[in-house]
């Protein structure tokens, strides 16, 4: 059917968003200054285009921002404080001592700031606002169940494509990333990412969405309350063919994930996968039985992947996980936080700050550009109050999604995936910096946007508002 005039800009924004999500992992996870800036800039342009489309169409935003005013306000506090850190008009007593040291060394006045690295703070702020733009565009364009399902399905296909590329490179000798020679992680699958742990988080999100969609689609094949056709006859029906692409995608992504050899990445993904059926069971007794029945073959498949492709991972698990520099680095980072708990030392400026605290307890030759703990790094960079504000904003969205799961009969999978994705990235952020990789953070914002679109609406009995328009589209 011909799209409704008011929905054309929504459809364009949606496909622009999907192109952005597909592009993000390509240039080394968008973890280079130019690619991070491009990702944030394109996300901002999508948001501006969506707002302009709403204005021209004379329609209100699909989401009432007042429903999200608390998490948005908390995120705004962190953004505002990062701007204050970057500015030069703050009281001199607030400025980091490095600026006075620079003035003394140069024998000339130097404008001081709270942040030790203004460029790094500005870049981190740009990235954060880009992720918020991805979240809001997704929130606006994924209001209908049909559109949200399509978005997740396309993302699973994207994640499977990157996993297939990673597998091809890995089994061909694992010597390249795109058109470049690898310079690290020669024994690990990293796809288009540099770091095994960063790709493990990205692959984990892809696997989580594949399994979540599988559970959602397959539950209708399971018997309801013991009445109706036997399960065997349902599994023999042509409807099972609709599950095959998702199952194949899950196998490809799962195999790639295990071959990363990322202990924390696999463990966090496993915790999130276990959370999926547990969260789905919140829907009632009959729903619990169907999800248990469907979850068994899915878990058996994942176990098979682990057995046949898990040698590199098992070898790393056998090593002492504490035989690293992370615990000493955590202790030094905490010491740095104690020296500037309220003001912070500059959002995104961990590298410069940590260099002045590093001692021989951290013996690695690495320059240690990240804290390997996102919570610690944010507290050191933003200061404790602003870091709590940012984390609380994310937590409130996830908490809302968790709260509405029992009442969402038709769209339960979307808030469920948002909560499970938060479990995944939240756990991994305790021991690594995957959420500081733009492609990973943008993907997480995308999944949270879908979850929030269906968590902050009154109910899911009908596809109201945007859904009415989307229903007329040939997406």
């Amino acid at each position: 059917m011909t799209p409704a005039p008011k929905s054309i800009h929504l459809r364009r924004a949606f496909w622009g968003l999907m192109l952005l999500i597909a592009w993000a992992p390509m240039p080394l996870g968008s973890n280079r200054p130019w690619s991070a800036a491009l990702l944030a800039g394109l996300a901002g342009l999508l948001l501006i285009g969506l707002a302009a489309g709403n204005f021209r169409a004379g329609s209100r935003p699909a989401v009432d921002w007042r429903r999200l005013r608390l998490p948005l306000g908390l995120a705004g506090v962190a953004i505002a404080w990062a701007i204050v850190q970057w500015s030069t008009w703050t009281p001199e007593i607030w400025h980091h001592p490095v600026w006075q040291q620079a003035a003394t060394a140069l024998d000339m006045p130097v404008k001081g700031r709270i942040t030790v690295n203004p460029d790094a703070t500005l870049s981190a702020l740009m990235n954060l606002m880009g992720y918020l733009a991805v979240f809001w565009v997704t929130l606006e364009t994924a209001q209908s169940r049909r559109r949200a399902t399509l978005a997740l399905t396309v993302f699973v296909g994207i994640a499977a494509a990157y996993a297939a590329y990673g597998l091809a490179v890995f089994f061909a000798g694992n010597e390249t990333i795109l058109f470049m020679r690898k310079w690290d992680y020669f024994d690990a699958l990293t796809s288009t990412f540099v770091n095994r742990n960063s790709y493990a988080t990205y692959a984990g999100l892809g696997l989580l969405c594949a399994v979540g969609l599988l559970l959602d689609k397959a539950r209708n094949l399971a018997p309801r309350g013991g009445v109706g056709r036997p399960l065997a006859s349902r599994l023999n029906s042509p409807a099972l063919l609709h599950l095959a692409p998702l199952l194949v995608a899950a196998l490809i992504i799962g195999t790639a994930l295990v071959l990363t050899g990322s202990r924390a990445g696999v463990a966090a993904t496993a915790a999130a996968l276990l959370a999926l059926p547990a969260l789905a069971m919140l829907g009632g007794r009959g729903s619990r039985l169907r999800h248990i029945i469907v979850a068994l073959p899915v878990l058996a498949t994942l176990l098979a992947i682990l057995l046949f492709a898990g040698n590199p991972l098992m070898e790393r698990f056998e090593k002492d996980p504490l035989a690293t520099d992370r615990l000493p680095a955590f202790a030094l980072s905490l010491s740095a936080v104690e020296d500037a708990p309220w003001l912070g030392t500059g959002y995104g400026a961990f590298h410069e700050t940590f260099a002045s605290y590093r001692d021989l307890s951290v013996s690695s030759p690495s320059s240690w550009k990240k804290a390997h703990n996102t919570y610690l790094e944010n507290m050191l960079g933003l200061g404790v109050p602003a870091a709590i504000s940012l984390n609380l904003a994310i937590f409130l969205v996830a908490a809302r999604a968790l709260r509405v799961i029992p009442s969402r009969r038709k769209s339960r999978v979307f808030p469920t995936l948002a909560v499970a994705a938060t479990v995944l990235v939240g756990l991994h952020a305790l021991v690594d910096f995957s959420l500081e990789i733009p492609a990973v953070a943008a993907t997480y914002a995308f999944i949270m946007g879908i979850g929030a679109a269906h968590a902050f609406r009154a109910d899911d009995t009908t596809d109201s508002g945007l859904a009415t328009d989307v229903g007329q589209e040939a997406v």
Side-chain angles (χ1 to χ4, degrees), residues 318-466:
E318 290 171 0
K319 298 178 182 179
D320 180 9
L322 298 181
T324 68
D325 290 324
R326 291 186 184 181
L327 290 182
F330 291 169
L332 293 174
S333 297
L334 279 172
S335 177
V337 170
E338 291 172 357
D339 288 343
W342 301 105
L343 303 178
T345 58
Y347 188 38
F350 173 83
H351 184 204
E352 293 76 12
T353 303
F354 186 74
S356 63
Y357 286 85
R358 183 172 178 173
D359 57 25
L360 294 178
S361 65
V362 181
S363 58
S364 169
S366 169
S367 59
W368 214 264
K369 296 180 179 180
K370 304 288 186 182
H372 291 263
N373 182 309
T374 301
Y375 307 104
L376 265 179
E377 186 162 336
N378 282 343
M379 284 193 291
L380 178 57
L382 283 169
V384 174
I388 290 176
S389 181
L390 181 59
N391 290 332
L392 188 57
I394 299 170
F395 172 79
L396 288 176
V397 176
R400 168 71 181 186
L402 176 63
R403 191 163 64 249
V404 303
I405 287 174
S407 64
R408 295 296 187 261
R409 182 172 59 87
K410 297 179 181 180
S411 60
R412 185 180 304 146
V413 64
F414 309 125
T416 298
L417 280 173
V419 175
T422 302
V423 170
L424 195 165
V425 301
L427 288 176
H428 204 183
L430 288 168
V431 292
D432 224 300
F433 53 84
S434 296
L435 264 182
E436 296 161 56
I437 304 301
V440 175
T443 300
Y444 173 60
F446 165 76
I447 295 171
M448 288 297 286
I450 293 175
H454 295 266
F456 285 88
R457 59 193 299 177
D459 58 58
D460 70 340
T461 56
T462 60
D463 276 344
S464 59
L466 170 62

